[in-house]
Amino acid sequence: MKAYIFPGQGAQFSGMGLDLFEGSSLAQELFNQANDILGFSITDIMFEGSAEDLKQTKVTQPAIFLHSVILAKTLGDDFKPEMVAGHSLGEFSALVANGALSFEAALELVSQRAQAMQKACELQPSTMAAVLGLEDKIVEDTCAETPGIVVAANYNCPGQLVISGEIEAINQACASLTEKGARRALVLPVGGAFHSPLMEPAREQLAAAIENTAFSTPTCPIYQNVTASAVSDPAEIKNNLIAQLTAPVRWTQTIQQMIADGGTEFIEIGPGKVLQGLMRKIDRSVAASGMS
């Protein structure tokens, strides 16, 4: 089965989407529509902005979503997913790809998600750190033992787990994990503690928006971050999407389940090659390629 996977925050780059815009009238139409929906010219920032301009959460999230979704739409009849998944923000791209959400509705939600997350980040200083070379259980136990809020947030691939929480708790957990043999425990240059209890204000804000948005029955299952299992019921998709903001991204488990369910060819749609790299670390025997 052919699986399409969609990247999340961190995959952005200066000039992203410009070749799409220049090479397709459909892409031009969708990008212009996006500028109208967002109320500012995101295309100017995507095509000409600096890495610093693109780093703002309110820009990054819609930019990555637009790159992924518009690229998928320009593939026309060649785009026939049999299963989809997206890493964090990428879940919204995946839901447009399988018909559960319209382009317009998903972009509205992504914009509201980005602003809600930005607001939550400003309420309390917080961060994330990548932990390399330790078993998940050791990282989970260390987070549980550390005073303050620090949790496992992104299960990216075996031996790579991102933790999320209060700055002091993250620093303390990193020191403990280094002592326990982590190859690296590196604080990341992010604006806040995504996929942790500190995103609760954002979850509440986004929940209302998601509840008021129409979701359709998808053309193929989405493997969601929260459950790492196939979901096709619109009500369940909504609930998982709301829970995703404060719950971990179970990417390793998601890919393993997709493979177990018959996924043989994985294609990353969107900027960068992050997910292809993770695929090789999760299961090197499965074909992984990308379109960016």
Side-chain angles (χ1 to χ4, degrees):
M1 289 171 77
K2 194 176 275 192
Y4 286 89
I5 51 178
F6 297 86
Q9 207 159 328
Q12 69 274 8
F13 63 90
S14 299
M16 61 189 288
L18 179 58
D19 53 344
L20 268 176
F21 185 87
E22 290 176 342
S24 161
S25 57
L26 172 62
Q28 287 173 22
E29 189 184 316
L30 291 169
F31 274 123
N32 289 330
Q33 193 180 346
N35 287 337
D36 292 341
I37 290 169
L38 293 170
F40 67 94
S41 182
I42 194 162
T43 49
D44 284 354
I45 305 173
M46 288 173 71
F47 303 163
E48 297 163 25
S50 66
E52 200 57 38
D53 296 332
L54 277 166
K55 239 169 65 175
Q56 305 169 69
T57 299
K58 70 169 189 177
V59 173
T60 314
Q61 294 195 20
I64 291 167
F65 167 83
L66 288 169
H67 191 288
S68 295
V69 169
I70 293 173
L71 176 54
K73 286 189 177 292
T74 60
L75 297 175
D77 293 339
D78 291 338
F79 184 70
K80 292 191 175 106
E82 294 171 277
M83 44 172 61
V84 295
H87 191 289
S88 188
L89 159 75
E91 204 158 88
F92 287 86
S93 308
L95 287 168
V96 177
N98 73 357
L101 274 174
S102 70
F103 170 75
E104 298 84 356
L107 180 57
E108 291 271 13
L109 287 178
V110 165
S111 176
Q112 289 182 60
R113 179 183 190 266
Q115 288 173 49
M117 288 171 79
Q118 186 71 49
K119 213 181 288 180
C121 292
E122 288 161 8
L123 284 174
Q124 182 166 4
S126 55
T127 192
M128 302 175 84
V131 182
L132 307 182
L134 281 181
E135 289 175 23
D136 292 348
K137 180 81 167 68
I138 296 171
V139 181
E140 291 162 351
D141 289 348
T142 303
C143 287
E145 294 158 6
T146 304
I149 296 171
V150 55
V151 296
N154 294 355
Y155 293 80
N156 284 335
C157 65
Q160 187 189 124
L161 210 170
V162 175
I163 60 175
S164 183
E166 295 166 334
I167 290 172
E168 183 51 46
I170 288 280
N171 289 337
Q172 205 169 322
C174 284
S176 300
L177 291 162
T178 303
E179 281 173 22
K180 290 176 184 179
R183 199 164 72 246
R184 290 184 85 180
L186 180 73
V187 176
L188 299 171
V190 295
F194 305 141
H195 302 288
S196 83
L198 295 172
M199 283 292 119
E200 181 57 28
R203 190 197 67 79
E204 288 174 10
Q205 195 176 327
L206 190 65
I210 287 174
E211 293 295 358
N212 292 324
T213 300
F215 282 62
S216 305
T217 302
T219 55
C220 70
I222 178 167
Y223 286 70
Q224 289 190 277
N225 293 176
V226 172
T227 61
S229 60
V231 185
S232 292
D233 174 56
E236 197 181 337
I237 288 171
K238 279 187 175 190
N239 289 338
N240 290 338
L241 212 49
I242 292 166
Q244 191 221 61
L245 274 186
T246 52
V249 174
R250 300 187 180 279
W251 191 250
T252 304
Q253 299 88 330
T254 295
I255 296 299
Q256 287 169 339
Q257 190 59 54
M258 292 172 88
I259 293 167
D261 290 351
T264 52
E265 186 186 351
F266 285 73
I267 301 155
E268 180 175 8
I269 300 270
K273 297 181 178 179
V274 171
L275 300 184
Q276 292 164 71
L278 296 180
M279 276 296 308
R280 282 189 280 276
K281 290 172 182 167
I282 295 168
D283 191 332
R284 192 172 278 279
S285 70
V286 178
S289 59
M291 294 181 178
S292 63

